[in-house]
Amino acid sequence: MPSVTPLLNGYSLTSDQGNPAFCSVLLVESGDERVLFDFGHVGRRRKLLTTLADRGLEPADISKVVVSHGHWDHLQNADLFPKAQVLIHRDELRNLANPPATDFGTPRWAKAVLDDLDLHEVGEGDEVIPGIQVLELPGHTPGSIGLAVSTTEGTAVLAADAVPTLAVLLARRASGRPYDRERADASVERVAAMAQMVYPGHDRPMRLDPDGSFDYTGSVAPLEFRVP
């Protein structure tokens, strides 16, 4: 059955100068198939390549990559995978073509990152590879998507920023300034109702406990901060 491995962990970090925006980058494997979910931004480019190499992989070994949504911190490294099929929701492509000025997460150059790649539009229920289906989780952005992965532990949902943190999942309420608050809250509820495991956009993986609540699955090493 498919397995999910965090290549880069997601972190919720902020400062008085802005947000470092370290999102989760997830590898899904099933047999000889490898799917990457999100890519991170160029500040983590070297770390992503090193982490792949530590697993004996290089970008050419990834057959499909999934863009959860068009925010800069999730898609910048897509160009590392020119041979892969790039899966994205049609509504997200439409938004990338003409993002509103109020959307600071989607700069007007974002679509250029994807322009020379092998783009494929996907939607609800599309099978990425056996055991992995697309979930529409709109609200955070118009075409936000996740993946439902059938694992030995049950259904794992790769949620990206539809569920960025454990706090959002427990509150059943989207954070930040979503495009559509009602749809964003409904997407959080949907993930909570169907998942035994949740891989959030900017936090550690979570598991559904026997009492019906979610909690972290384990610890993540703290970031080591350095002065250049």
Side-chain angles (χ1 to χ4, degrees):
M1 298 184 75
S3 63
V4 182
T5 303
L7 293 181
L8 299 180
N9 290 308
Y11 296 91
S12 295
L13 302 171
T14 191
S15 76
D16 64 348
Q17 300 295 309
N19 189 341
F22 286 171
C23 77
S24 301
V25 179
L26 305 168
L27 178 67
V28 186
E29 298 177 279
S30 183
D32 294 330
E33 295 269 15
R34 298 181 184 90
V35 177
L36 196 68
F37 184 79
D38 283 344
F39 320 97
H41 58 66
V42 294
R44 304 183 89 186
R45 199 175 185 88
R46 183 179 300 172
K47 182 65 174 177
L48 175 56
L49 291 172
T50 299
T51 304
L52 282 169
D54 288 344
R55 297 181 64 83
L57 301 174
E58 55 186 37
D61 295 316
I62 307 299
S63 58
K64 295 180 180 179
V65 296
V66 179
V67 180
S68 70
H69 64 293
H71 283 174
W72 66 275
D73 55 317
H74 290 254
L75 64 66
Q76 274 192 13
N77 289 324
D79 65 302
L80 291 175
F81 305 92
K83 296 183 179 180
Q85 292 183 5
V86 180
L87 312 184
I88 187 170
H89 196 276
R90 60 185 176 277
D91 291 343
E92 202 66 12
L93 270 180
R94 189 179 300 116
N95 189 65
L96 280 167
N98 188 29
T102 53
D103 180 1
F104 296 115
T106 310
R108 300 194 73 84
W109 50 256
K111 185 175 182 299
V113 176
L114 306 176
D115 278 346
D116 295 328
L117 302 179
D118 183 19
L119 293 179
H120 294 257
E121 294 181 6
V122 294
E124 178 70 26
D126 286 346
E127 187 175 71
V128 178
I129 59 176
I132 305 173
Q133 291 186 322
V134 172
L135 293 177
E136 292 183 351
L137 299 173
H140 180 68
T141 64
S144 290
I145 57 174
L147 295 179
V149 182
S150 298
T151 75
T152 55
E153 297 182 82
T155 299
V157 174
L158 283 54
D161 287 2
V163 180
T165 65
L166 176 60
V168 166
L169 190 62
L170 295 179
R172 302 293 199 271
R173 181 170 171 80
S175 61
R177 299 178 180 176
Y179 271 61
D180 186 316
R181 166 65 62 183
E182 184 175 352
R183 298 182 80 193
D185 289 348
S187 290
V188 178
E189 290 279 7
R190 184 183 189 196
V191 172
M194 69 181 297
Q196 281 76 55
M197 292 278 295
V198 178
Y199 290 84
H202 293 274
D203 207 349
R204 292 145 52 190
M206 308 167 236
R207 177 181 288 113
L208 183 66
D209 290 335
D211 65 1
S213 63
F214 284 91
D215 204 348
Y216 294 120
T217 62
S219 62
V220 170
L223 289 170
E224 180 181 341
F225 292 94
R226 302 170 183 166
V227 177

